[in-house]
Amino acid sequence: MQGLFITFEGIDGAGKSSHIDTLAQALRAAGRQVTLTREPGGTPLAEKLRAMLLHDAMDALTETLLVFAARRDHLRVVIEPALARGDVVLCDRFTDATFAYQGVGRGFDLQVLSYMERLAQTGIALEPDLMRNPDLTLWFDVPPEVAAERLAAARTPDRFEAEGVEFFTRVARGYADRAAGATQRFARLDGAQPRAQVAAQMLAAVAARGWLQGATP
């Protein structure tokens, strides 16, 4: 089977991570092999960079360089080999997060981000000129105020989770901009709904593309 690359996106507190296992189970029931991974992270090197990103003080340029360094290694070691095997890769965040967080959230130059995106994501796939992007992006859209309430009840916040509502309002706008520029790739889910309803939206978005055929009830 052809490999598929599905990403989960949304601001911190959107609840996206809690739905990845649900989709993985549905895809396995449809006869697919599934690789679960995350960004930043997914490889030993990228996980070390993740720890720096989440806890060490740095400016926006350093932050962005580390994100793309982690992504390059992640693509090379995990994502591209899994896609070549025919797996469905489910990834918690990818480049849309970089444009939303570092781009609109931090105010980093979007044209520079586009250049770094091409540099990091090209030349690894079986097709040498392909710049790897997801086949589907599940965007868990939640008002920043709702996300902030969820985070307040969660674990000790990392460097990003500790940001204020104003920052996450910008990040949410960044996601909306990315979705508007890639309407065929993005599926917007109302993440403020109860968990079961959000899961139903997610499964419907994947089923609409014919990727859950053969799944057992």
Side-chain angles (χ1 to χ4, degrees):
M1 292 184 180
Q2 182 180 0
L4 296 171
F5 186 22
I6 301 175
T7 54
F8 290 64
E9 295 285 2
I11 63 176
D12 288 275
K16 59 182 173 50
S17 301
S18 64
H19 293 284
I20 292 179
D21 284 340
T22 300
L23 180 55
Q25 292 171 14
L27 287 162
R28 288 176 181 132
R32 299 302 303 255
Q33 295 293 318
V34 178
T35 293
L36 300 175
T37 191
R38 68 177 182 177
E39 287 212 350
T43 71
L45 172 60
E47 289 292 334
K48 293 176 184 176
L49 297 176
R50 176 188 179 90
M52 296 179 190
L53 284 161
L54 296 187
H55 303 295
D56 295 352
M58 62 189 72
D59 67 3
L61 175 57
T62 304
E63 191 174 281
T64 304
L65 290 168
L66 289 178
V67 166
F68 277 111
R71 181 162 300 132
R72 176 77 179 185
D73 193 61
H74 190 204
L75 281 163
R76 185 181 61 84
V77 175
V78 174
I79 296 174
E80 291 299 343
L83 293 174
R85 291 193 302 267
D87 288 11
V88 180
V89 176
L90 302 183
C91 188
D92 188 347
R93 299 198 189 284
F94 195 62
T95 308
D96 296 306
T98 308
F99 279 83
Y101 275 79
Q102 282 73 43
V104 181
R106 301 285 194 218
F108 195 81
D109 190 302
L110 297 181
Q111 290 186 332
V112 175
L113 284 183
S114 294
Y115 169 75
M116 296 173 76
E117 176 186 30
R118 291 193 301 274
L119 188 65
Q121 294 168 219
T122 304
I124 311 175
L126 295 177
E127 307 89 338
D129 296 330
L130 173 69
M131 184 181 82
R132 177 61 65 191
N133 269 309
D135 298 295
L136 171 65
T137 296
L138 298 165
W139 172 32
F140 294 75
D141 188 19
V142 175
E145 296 79 10
V146 173
E149 291 177 4
R150 293 175 177 176
L151 289 174
R155 62 190 182 279
T156 302
D158 59 40
R159 194 166 64 88
F160 290 93
E161 294 169 340
E163 293 282 357
V165 173
E166 296 82 5
F167 174 76
F168 286 111
T169 298
R170 295 195 299 273
V171 173
R173 187 173 71 248
Y175 275 121
D177 291 345
R178 290 287 283 181
T183 56
Q184 297 301 312
R185 175 167 64 85
F186 268 77
R188 179 191 174 275
L189 311 178
D190 184 355
Q193 296 297 312
R195 180 172 178 173
Q197 294 183 25
V198 177
Q201 294 176 60
M202 174 186 68
L203 294 174
V206 177
R209 289 161 172 79
W211 297 339
L212 289 179
Q213 294 177 1
T216 55

